[in-house]
Amino acid sequence: MTEAKAEGSEPTRSLHFIHQIIEEDNKTGKFDGRVQTRFPPEPNGYLHIGHAKSICLNFGTALKYGGKCNLRFDDTNPVKEDIEYINAIQEDVRWLGFQWDALFYASDYFEQLYQWAEKLIQDGKAYVCDLTAEQVAMYRGGLDPKTAKESPNRNRSVEENLDLFRRMRAGEFPDGARTLRAKIDPRAANINLRDPVMYRILHATHPHVGDKWCIYPMYDWTHGQSDSIERVTHSICTLEFENNRPLYDWYIQQLGIYAPQQIEFARLNLTYTVMSKRKLLELVKNKYVSGWDDPRMPTLCGIRRRGYTPEAMRNFCERIGVSKFPGTIDMAWLEDAVREDLNKRAARVMAVLKPLKVVIDNYPEGQTDELDAVNNPEDPAAGSRKVPFSRIVYIERDDFMENPPKDYFRLAPGREVRLRYAYFVKCVNAVKDDKGEVVEVHCTYDPETRGGNAPPDGRKVKGTIHWVSVAHAIPAEVRLYDHLFAKENPDDIPEGQDYKVNLNPNSLVTLTDARVEPSLAGAKPGNRYQFERLGYFCVDRDTEGKSLVFNRTVTLRDSWAKLEKAQQKKK
RNA sequence: UGGGGAAUGGUGUAACGGUAGCACAGCAGACUCUGGAUCUGCUUGUCUAGGUUCGAAUCCUAGUUCCCCAGCCA
């Protein structure tokens, strides 16, 4: 190894293959050093985490190279698209933290596209076909070109084609009666080149251009030229469009217009969820979830409601990288990304999810203490607050065990623990109901441990648990979320079954009897907190007036839970 | 069956003929008023077989496996 690292030189961070291509293009002057990308969603559904990867890539690339990135709706199919989606998509892109240079609609180019179509007809490069959809499929043959044959209408005269096409536009024919097809090669090895359909007849109202058209261009006839019109340099898209690139190139070449460079990358797959728009729509429509923004959904509005931050999302997209390998990323990465972000910024508070009453026998009745609690140990500027303490407190049910294993550090008969920020308490006895369930625990406290400090005798406790004062606590509803699907790969299903058999029946557990510390009074929807020792939570939009509703964004890392699980496995 | 792509630890991603690195997960330990955070250490990898070369994840040849395409969807 030579002295590769010159002193003072920046360690060069490695570029993924797309940025390598761009830097190479900039070096050779292919696009005069210009970099322009775009995010081109179809407004037929809500954006999901997979789109976030594309958004971060496209907008991030423009930002990195001082270029432009537009938002363009590829709205070529009015029967599936809707203004609801157009609005939601814009909101989601903004939430992620990006601002487009221009907002376009592919439908803005419909007239230009139509003119270009007439030009191809004039040049003998397109023809009107009378075959039905089924017939077209049959004539096109299977994957093997040997089974293909050409359309009987392939050699119509230019005049007849032009006349028919104009009458298609004029609305003379019913839906599906005819199509305009590119005259390329009926027996091409690449099936996309076997005289693809350019226009279909669709008497439908378009969400953006209304009833202006009754013929609509196919995506393939629209996408490349739209990029060309906008002068996109690097047209970044997902792998499945590799097969279509030769077709886009053909159109651009026949038209003799500016040619962007298409680069394909692998779309994002995540464990324990589905990303297909069709499936997400089905989950919403058939009420498997409460809506597009159900916090269990991988939609951007869903994870937003769940409490994820845009910073965490962008960081996640940065970390997973960009390549052409269609792998699946472990959901744990996403969770790690939010934890990392929220750890630095979320205020710590105490909340008891499943309350168990603790009476401190030797604490004076009617007395209240105001104890200092740190708001965020990761951020001294966050300051501190007062938390009220009194004779009866709630602790977490899971923090008491009558017959605990050795490595259980929490409260148990005869054991002493620290109540966070308050006192050491020692369990005297537990009171049970007729069913044998512990309903109340009695403790004594040590006044010398006020503030949670160790007593003069140097006594130590292994566990510190959280609590709220019964007299001061605020009731709250807490929604605990888990993976939407019970299997890493929801599509891993038994013969003849459906992916929905893998839905996780415990993906939502609602706790209606939680208590939170009084400082949370007046918390607003969207506010994020760390409930100490439990996880990160945010105030849900269902919160109204006094009734607080929290969503669990993600649990804290829990080495005790891990231990428990491991021990259960041993048994 | 035709065409287009891709293969590096459990997962994802670097290395561009010269020490296989990073992150997540996992394991062990330190520290701790969160079994949190932080810190330290560890396990695990170049699809296979040949070849070129002083030297191959990288170049060549052959094979294997996986993904995508047969909408008037995008």
Side-chain angles (χ1 to χ4, degrees):
Chain A
M1 165 132 183
T2 54
E3 55 290 334
K5 257 188 264 171
E7 298 226 2
S9 77
E10 294 266 325
T12 49
R13 216 175 77 249
S14 58
L15 301 170
H16 57 67
F17 80 103
I18 294 181
H19 287 171
Q20 282 180 17
I21 291 171
I22 289 175
E23 299 208 350
E24 187 59 30
D25 288 344
N26 282 347
K27 212 175 289 170
T28 61
K30 179 168 179 181
F31 295 103
D32 301 321
R34 208 166 52 83
V35 174
Q36 185 169 328
T37 57
R38 94 273 96 114
F39 175 59
E42 183 194 13
N44 68 342
Y46 279 69
L47 261 24
H48 54 61
I49 302 176
H51 292 111
K53 177 178 181 183
S54 173
I55 293 168
C56 290
L57 214 207
N58 278 295
F59 283 95
T61 296
L63 245 27
K64 179 181 172 83
Y65 294 103
K68 283 185 183 171
C69 181
N70 298 325
L71 174 62
R72 183 183 69 237
F73 289 106
D74 273 342
D75 51 354
T76 54
N77 186 0
V79 303
K80 288 192 178 166
E81 295 153 11
D82 198 283
I83 186 79
E84 175 193 356
Y85 303 129
I86 291 177
N87 294 330
I89 287 168
Q90 295 182 58
E91 188 186 348
D92 287 344
V93 173
R94 281 199 211 94
W95 173 75
L96 253 192
F98 296 106
Q99 184 55 58
W100 46 90
D101 284 276
L103 174 63
F104 293 125
Y105 293 78
S107 52
D108 292 337
Y109 312 135
F110 280 2
E111 184 58 40
Q112 170 68 265
L113 255 7
Y114 177 87
Q115 295 305 329
W116 276 333
E118 284 209 353
K119 174 182 156 53
L120 286 202
I121 293 172
Q122 309 261 24
D123 293 348
K125 302 270 176 56
Y127 62 96
V128 171
C129 177
D130 304 343
L131 258 25
T132 65
E134 297 71 40
Q135 288 171 320
V136 168
M138 228 176 64
Y139 276 75
R140 186 137 47 207
L143 290 172
D144 193 330
K146 288 196 277 291
T147 58
K149 56 181 175 178
E150 63 177 63
S151 164
N153 305 310
R154 196 164 197 267
N155 295 311
R156 275 216 251 245
S157 71
V158 169
E159 292 67 34
E160 193 185 358
N161 280 322
L162 215 45
D163 174 62
L164 252 15
F165 187 48
R166 286 174 181 165
R167 289 165 59 194
M168 280 168 64
R169 178 180 185 171
E172 288 190 29
F173 310 114
D175 286 3
R178 297 178 207 273
T179 55
L180 182 72
R181 293 231 253 160
K183 198 170 176 176
I184 306 178
D185 177 1
R187 277 170 280 269
N190 180 342
I191 205 163
N192 295 114
L193 264 20
R194 315 231 266 248
D195 289 8
V197 171
M198 294 164 64
Y199 279 90
R200 75 284 218 193
I201 301 171
L202 235 40
H203 293 267
T205 301
H206 187 281
H208 185 59
V209 292
D211 293 312
K212 201 171 163 195
W213 295 87
C214 63
I215 55 171
Y216 287 94
M218 298 291 290
Y219 173 86
D220 283 347
W221 167 246
T222 308
H223 185 79
Q225 290 94 297
S226 298
D227 280 345
S228 175
I229 290 168
E230 292 170 21
R231 304 193 72 74
V232 166
T233 56
H234 303 270
S235 175
I236 300 168
C237 66
T238 44
L239 252 27
E240 65 268 29
F241 292 104
E242 271 178 319
N243 296 316
N244 304 51
R245 178 154 34 89
L247 175 56
Y248 303 158
D249 290 346
W250 188 87
Y251 285 141
I252 295 281
Q253 202 173 51
Q254 300 311 311
L255 264 16
I257 58 178
Y258 165 84
Q261 175 182 359
Q262 174 167 306
I263 307 169
E264 306 87 4
F265 72 98
R267 61 161 6 114
L268 170 65
N269 295 304
L270 266 183
T271 55
Y272 299 107
T273 194
V274 292
M275 219 72 100
S276 104
K277 279 195 194 176
R278 199 206 96 226
K279 288 177 184 158
L280 294 178
L281 181 66
E282 185 186 9
L283 294 174
V284 172
K285 284 255 148 78
N286 297 338
K287 311 270 189 209
Y288 291 98
V289 294
S290 67
W292 286 103
D293 71 344
D294 186 300
R296 292 166 293 180
M297 291 281 276
T299 49
L300 294 185
C301 53
I303 62 162
R304 182 195 310 149
R305 188 171 173 191
R306 175 88 168 247
Y308 276 72
T309 60
E311 290 81 0
M313 286 309 302
R314 280 187 255 125
N315 190 252
F316 169 74
C317 291
E318 187 65 37
R319 277 194 222 177
I320 58 177
V322 179
S323 76
K324 299 193 77 155
F325 180 73
T328 302
I329 280 155
D330 196 323
M331 185 67 93
W333 283 51
L334 229 204
E335 295 175 346
D336 180 73
V338 233
R339 283 198 195 99
E340 184 184 301
D341 188 35
L342 259 18
N343 175 48
K344 287 177 294 196
R345 19 198 316 200
R348 271 61 171 174
V349 294
M350 290 196 286
V352 174
L353 270 27
K354 298 174 197 158
L356 173 63
K357 196 178 279 182
V358 172
V359 180
I360 299 156
D361 293 331
N362 62 339
Y363 193 89
E365 267 181 73
Q367 183 172 312
T368 298
D369 247 343
E370 291 279 321
L371 300 163
D372 287 311
V374 174
N375 286 334
N376 186 348
E378 304 294 317
D379 178 16
S384 66
R385 67 190 186 285
K386 296 284 188 191
V387 183
F389 180 82
S390 59
R391 186 164 185 267
I392 309 178
V393 299
Y394 285 124
I395 64 166
E396 207 66 61
R397 265 212 121 77
D398 292 348
D399 286 340
F400 176 83
M401 264 184 118
E402 208 181 359
N403 301 298
K406 282 196 295 296
D407 44 6
Y408 186 80
F409 301 158
R410 288 111 97 144
L411 201 61
R415 298 247 191 119
E416 188 173 43
V417 298
R418 169 168 29 234
L419 292 182
R420 175 133 241 232
Y421 302 123
Y423 298 94
F424 282 22
V425 294
K426 189 168 186 176
C427 176
V428 182
N429 69 304
V431 181
K432 295 189 203 172
D433 63 11
D434 334 327
K435 282 173 280 183
E437 198 181 330
V438 176
V439 290
E440 190 175 295
V441 174
H442 285 260
C443 291
T444 56
Y445 86 114
D446 179 352
E448 296 206 272
T449 57
R450 196 187 127 95
N453 294 312
D457 66 9
R459 209 163 76 243
K460 282 189 175 161
V461 289
K462 276 215 204 91
T464 297
I465 65 176
H466 57 96
W467 54 275
V468 292
S469 164
V470 169
H472 307 267
I474 305 173
E477 176 179 323
V478 176
R479 298 171 183 169
L480 304 179
Y481 298 103
D482 198 355
H483 304 314
L484 222 201
F485 289 87
K487 271 200 179 162
E488 268 199 30
N489 175 11
D491 289 320
D492 174 14
I493 40 179
E495 260 305 300
Q497 296 268 34
D498 181 278
Y499 74 99
K500 295 191 289 302
V501 302
N502 286 329
L503 277 162
N504 175 8
N506 304 315
S507 59
L508 168 60
V509 173
T510 303
L511 269 19
T512 53
D513 194 33
R515 304 298 151 96
V516 301
E517 63 168 73
S519 72
L520 252 23
K524 296 283 177 295
N527 286 2
R528 301 185 183 91
Y529 303 93
Q530 183 195 99
F531 288 179
E532 293 217 30
R533 304 208 305 133
L534 297 174
Y536 296 96
F537 294 75
C538 74
V539 181
D540 189 75
R541 62 170 162 81
D542 285 347
T543 292
E544 281 171 39
K546 278 188 293 184
S547 84
L548 285 170
V549 179
F550 291 93
N551 295 322
R552 183 173 70 194
T553 307
V554 65
T555 62
L556 250 28
R557 281 201 190 88
D558 188 346
S559 49
W560 167 246
K562 222 184 269 176
L563 233 177
E564 255 188 327
K565 219 185 240 175
Q567 279 171 350
Q568 269 176 14
K569 254 186 197 168
K570 263 189 223 163
K571 278 178 193 171

